[in-house]
């Protein structure tokens, strides 16, 4: 494998403006002299206190990426300007004077902590200036001095000493700074453990699999050569291929098999390049396959931001769902019809991380009795990702092997407002907001939907990231994905503070504890709040009332009160359920049916009725005025005809 020579593909992560390097440090530590010497290739006889931004010659660097160096002042009055420049930097050079130890101490007591405080997260190059002034009687080992500081501040990429006056290692200072931006060590390699970082390993594994055309677990000589041409625009000679494999095999026997270079050997080679300081080799490979400095796919490999109305949602296409079905059974190694935790981890081993290890996806899908993710649970989690974060969903589809055009994996649905007008929705994924007071049974409803066990004691939901997604079977073999989102009681006010709060909601369910009148009253208040918000914003949603804990004795007037309220609002009577006994009255199918017919089950408040009545009166008045005007026009025309006839007869 070549190391990114003259013909290697170049990549500029900072765009057309190039690399921006900011030089900071205590006063009189040689900042300005260092910059001018690098720019003019000679030590300046005099310098300004603070230089204007200086462009270094492109031919100073092998990458030929433009480099602009920004000088700064450490004075108190220029503090704001310094912070502004540091926050715009791609890399920071911190200077100290080799003949003034106190300026070196200031790096760890002020400058490096300050960079962290103002959240400057870029590579740092520590530079000792004025090396020519150091007393030869007191030699100092740079490694010995800097090792403790580098252990404490991992953002330090390189340490170097120089002399602008003697022109010692001046170009190298800016070469290392530019290299730290274009080929940073931190994302790739753990210096302390001396190993590739997990995200780097995952990216290289994906690249290896993409290049292993025959899927035999090794790169043959031909595949290795194709990889070399793709990444470095130059083929490997047969002797070079033999040499590469020999280097690997001598250090790591399992790195080469009879079929070629194994994944273990491929990873070993990259670790070797990095250890020898040839980070540009690994970065060239990563960037050729679309990775950015965070070792994620760059934006140009993903669909552009999705333009949609608030009441539109995003779903996976049939093509993407078919791909996911294939992937599921590919990784179901033991053939038990489910993915165990290790199989899921293996599936995502070519992605930066497993996205389902975090909320809201972690517990959102159906699992079997042994904790394995079922095919319906698997597809439902992907549907949830597409609904909540479609671009990230596509990103992870690509990581696990989706080879089609990224734009073919998702589609934007029709507006919910239009669905109501047409009195039908053909979405494949519906989102239901579950409202209700504390201890009403909201979480139990979500748990029962995906087969989570009934909890022994009440555990309050403290955030709005509790989701449950599952597939609902309908008559005729039609299957829809339903996403339930629990809205904690104390989160309703915050939710409804947004005009578009209900735009993404297909159905709202209001759960109350049928044994407690106070629970019913609070659920009714929430229902009226949501209905009023929908009427005011134009995002009306179908609503269902759920009377939970039906296995217990209800409060005395529960049926009478709930029937009256549902009739007044013009919606279905409360649906009794018992999650404890598993008696759910087909609630999930009824939710899907309400979503499919979004013009029904929409509550109408008194304010809404008054508003409609007012609009009808206005419409009638306008109609009356229009009719009256038309009659007047017709009458005037008739009079003119009559007058004309009378004049002609006379």
């Amino acid at each position: 494998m070549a190391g990114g020579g003259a013909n290697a593909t170049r990549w500029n992560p900072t765009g057309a403006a190039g690399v921006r390097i900011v030089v900071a440090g205590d006063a009189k530590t040689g900042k300005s002299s260092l910059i001018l010497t690098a720019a003019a290739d000679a030590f300046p006889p005099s310098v300004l206190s603070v230089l204007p931004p200086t462009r270094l010659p492109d031919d100073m660097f092998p990458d030929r990426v433009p480099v602009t160096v920004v000088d700064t002042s450490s004075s108190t009055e220029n503090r704001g300007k310094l912070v502004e420049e540091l926050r715009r930097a791609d890399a920071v050079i911190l200077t100290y004077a080799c003949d003034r130890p106190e300026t070196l101490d200031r790096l760890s007591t002020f400058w490096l902590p300050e960079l962290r405080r103002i959240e400057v997260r870029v590579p740092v190059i520590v530079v000792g200036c004025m090396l020519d002034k150091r007393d030869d009687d007191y030699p100092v080992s740079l490694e010995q001095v800097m090792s403790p500081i580098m252990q404490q501040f991992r953002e330090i990429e390189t340490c170097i000493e120089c002399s602008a006056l003697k022109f010692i290692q001046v170009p190298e200072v800016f070469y290392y700074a530019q290299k730290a931006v274009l080929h940073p060590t931190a994302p790739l390699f753990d210096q302390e453990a001396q190993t590739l970082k997990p995200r780097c390993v995952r990216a290289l594994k994906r690249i290896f699999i993409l290049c292993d055309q025959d899927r035999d677990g090794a790169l043959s000589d031909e595949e290795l050569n194709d990889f070399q041409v793709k990444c470095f625009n130059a083929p490997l000679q047969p002797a070079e291929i033999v040499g590469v494999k020999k280097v690997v095999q001598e250090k790591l026997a399992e790195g080469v098999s009879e079929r070629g270079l194994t994944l273990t050997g491929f990873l070993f080679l990259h670790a070797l390049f990095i250890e020898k300081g040839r980070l540009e080799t690994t970065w060239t490979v990563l960037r050729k396959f679309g990775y950015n400095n965070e070792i994620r796919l760059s934006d140009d490999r993903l669909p552009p931001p999705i333009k949609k109305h608030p009441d539109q949602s995003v779903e996976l296409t049939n093509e993407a769902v078919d791909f996911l079905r294939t992937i599921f059974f590919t990784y179901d190694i033991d053939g038990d019809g489910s993915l165990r935790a290790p199989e899921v981890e293996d599936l995502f081993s070519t992605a930066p991380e497993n996205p389902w290890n975090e909320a809201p996806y972690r517990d959102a899908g159906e699992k079997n009795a042994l904790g394995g993710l079922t095919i319906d649970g698997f597809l439902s989690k992907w549907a949830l990702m597409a609904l909540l974060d479609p671009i990230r969903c596509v990103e992870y589809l690509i990581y696990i092997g989706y080879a089609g055009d990224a734009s073919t994996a998702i589609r934007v649905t029709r507006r919910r407002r239009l669905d109501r007008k047409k009195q039908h929705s053909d979405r494949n994924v519906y989102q239901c907001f579950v409202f209700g007071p504390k201890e009403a049974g909201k979480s139990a409803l979500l748990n029962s939907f995906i087969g989570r066990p009934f909890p022994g004691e009440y555990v309050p939901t403290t955030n709005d990231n509790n989701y449950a997604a599952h597939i609902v079977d309908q008559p005729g073999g039609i299957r829809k994905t339903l996403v339930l989102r629990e809205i904690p009681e104390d989160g309703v006010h915050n939710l409804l503070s947004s005009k578009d709060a209900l735009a993404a909601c297909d159905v709202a369910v209001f759960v109350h504890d049928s044994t407690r009148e106070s629970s019913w009253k609070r659920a009714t208040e929430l229902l009226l709040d949501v209905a009023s918000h929908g009427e005011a914003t134009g995002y009306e949603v179908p609503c269902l009332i759920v009377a939970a804990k039906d296995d217990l004795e209800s409060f005395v007037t529960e049926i009478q009160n709930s029937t009256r309220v549902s009739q007044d609002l013009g919606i279905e009577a409360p649906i009794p359920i018992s999650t404890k006994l598993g008696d759910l009255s087909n609630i999930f199918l009824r939710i899907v049916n309400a979503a499919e017919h979004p013009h029904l089950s929409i509550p109408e408040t008194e304010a809404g009725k008054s508003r409609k009545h007012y609009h009808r009166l206005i419409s009638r008045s306008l109609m009356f005025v229009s009719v009256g005007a038309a009659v007047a026009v017709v009458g005037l025309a008739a009079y003119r005809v009559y007058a004309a006839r009378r004049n002609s007869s006379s």
Side-chain angles (χ1 to χ4, degrees), residues 372-639:
L373 190 64
T374 65
I375 178 66
D376 284 354
F378 179 75
L379 295 176
S380 297
K381 279 196 177 189
W382 281 103
L384 179 62
M385 282 186 76
L387 182 72
L388 300 183
D389 198 346
I391 300 301
R392 190 182 186 210
C393 179
V394 173
E395 180 185 358
Y396 277 83
L397 283 172
I398 296 171
Y399 290 138
I400 68 171
Y402 186 77
D405 185 337
S407 61
T408 66
I410 52 176
R411 74 179 187 97
V412 178
T413 64
R414 189 170 67 186
R415 295 190 66 178
R416 288 176 173 84
R417 186 170 295 179
L418 190 56
D419 284 346
R420 285 197 298 274
K421 285 184 179 180
K422 293 185 175 293
Q423 302 186 357
H424 180 73
S425 172
D426 60 355
R427 296 168 190 265
N428 293 316
V429 180
Y430 295 115
Q431 180 167 205
C432 170
F433 288 4
V434 181
F435 296 92
K438 294 176 181 177
E439 299 187 63
K442 301 186 296 297
S443 298
L445 182 66
L446 270 68
N447 291 340
S448 64
F449 185 39
I450 57 176
R452 287 195 293 241
F454 187 82
E457 57 184 36
Y458 172 68
V459 179
T461 301
T462 56
N463 58 63
D464 59 358
N465 265 338
N466 189 18
Y467 286 82
H470 197 25
I471 292 173
V472 177
D473 291 309
Q474 295 178 287
I478 298 173
R479 313 189 85 207
K480 299 287 185 178
T481 301
L482 176 61
V483 173
L484 302 182
R485 176 190 174 189
E486 180 180 355
I487 310 295
E489 181 184 2
D490 52 11
V492 175
H493 177 75
N494 185 53
L495 174 73
L496 297 183
S497 63
S498 166
K499 177 186 176 182
D500 300 332
L502 301 175
C505 179
D506 292 292
V507 180
V509 165
F510 297 84
V511 182
H512 70 276
D513 178 350
S514 60
T515 70
R516 297 164 58 188
E517 187 172 10
S518 59
S519 180
W520 159 249
K521 288 181 177 179
R522 182 59 182 142
T524 304
E525 292 171 359
L526 294 173
L527 171 55
L528 291 173
D529 288 344
V530 169
S532 299
H533 189 280
E535 290 171 343
T537 60
Y539 294 124
E540 299 99 328
V541 296
C543 294
L544 299 176
I545 303 174
V546 171
K549 306 182 184 180
D550 191 49
D551 53 296
L552 303 176
E553 186 175 347
S554 61
F555 67 89
V556 177
T557 59
E558 194 266 342
I559 296 177
Q560 178 183 345
N561 290 351
S562 59
T563 301
R564 175 180 52 80
V565 169
S566 58
Q567 287 178 345
D568 288 346
L569 294 174
I571 61 176
E572 186 179 345
I575 303 166
I577 68 167
S578 170
T579 54
K580 187 174 183 178
L581 298 180
D583 183 6
L584 299 174
S585 302
N586 287 324
I587 181 62
F588 306 118
L589 180 58
R590 292 164 88 158
I591 292 172
V592 170
N593 288 338
E596 285 189 318
H597 304 92
H599 61 298
L600 304 175
S601 302
I602 295 179
E604 194 171 25
T605 66
E606 290 301 322
K609 291 175 184 176
S610 299
R611 195 180 295 112
K612 281 188 178 180
H613 181 66
Y614 173 76
H615 286 313
R616 288 194 195 101
L617 290 177
I618 294 296
S619 298
R620 287 174 184 171
S621 299
L622 291 174
M623 186 181 297
F624 176 79
V625 171
S626 299
V627 171
V631 169
V633 170
V634 171
L636 180 60
Y639 173 78

Side-chain angles (χ1 to χ4, degrees), residues 96 116 127 160 184 230 295 331 446 526 577 592 604 640:
Y96 67 92
R116 288 184 177 181
V127 178
I160 186 173
K230 177 179 176 65
I295 316 189
Y331 282 87
L446 270 68
L526 294 173
I577 68 167
V592 170
E604 194 171 25
R640 286 175 177 169

Side-chain angles (χ1 to χ4, degrees), residues 11-186:
W11 181 85
N12 179 3
T14 59
V19 174
R20 186 179 183 86
I21 300 170
V22 174
V23 182
D26 283 353
K28 300 187 183 304
T29 54
K31 299 188 293 291
S32 302
S33 296
L34 174 65
I35 297 169
L36 278 181
T37 301
D41 207 19
F43 185 75
S46 62
V47 295
L48 299 172
S49 57
V50 179
L51 300 173
T54 304
R55 171 78 175 266
L56 298 185
D58 291 355
D59 58 7
M60 274 185 67
F61 311 104
D63 287 279
R64 302 190 69 83
V65 173
V67 172
T68 299
V69 184
V70 179
D71 194 9
T72 61
S73 169
S74 58
S75 63
T76 305
E77 58 268 25
N78 290 308
R79 162 79 183 163
K81 178 67 174 174
L82 171 64
V83 171
E84 179 187 343
E85 292 294 357
L86 288 171
R87 285 177 171 163
R88 294 177 60 199
D90 297 313
V92 172
I93 290 176
L94 290 182
T95 61
Y96 67 92
C98 290
D99 62 332
R100 292 164 56 203
E102 70 276 9
T103 61
L104 175 59
D105 293 338
R106 285 263 298 166
L107 296 184
S108 55
T109 60
F110 174 75
W111 286 103
L112 289 161
E114 180 68 0
L115 291 180
R116 288 184 177 181
R117 192 189 69 78
I118 62 177
E119 299 183 342
V120 175
R121 298 186 179 93
V122 297
V124 175
I125 313 299
V126 172
V127 178
C129 296
M130 296 180 276
L131 180 60
D132 55 283
K133 290 188 177 182
R134 177 181 290 156
D135 191 339
D136 292 338
D137 293 335
Y138 298 96
V140 177
S141 166
L142 181 62
E143 181 179 354
Q144 183 180 356
V145 170
M146 291 306 304
S147 181
I149 299 176
M150 293 184 73
Q151 288 289 330
Q152 183 181 357
F153 298 96
R154 295 289 182 179
E155 55 268 40
I156 299 176
E157 189 82 10
T158 306
C159 300
I160 186 173
E161 292 181 329
C162 68
S163 168
L165 179 64
K166 302 291 186 180
F167 206 73
I168 299 172
Q169 296 202 122
V170 171
E172 285 83 349
V173 168
F174 296 99
Y175 167 73
Y176 286 129
Q178 187 216 51
K179 184 179 179 181
V181 177
L182 300 182
H183 314 301
T185 303

Side-chain angles (χ1 to χ4, degrees), residues 640-650:
R640 286 175 177 169
V641 171
Y642 168 75
R645 288 176 178 172
R646 186 172 182 181
N647 290 337
S648 61
S649 62
S650 61

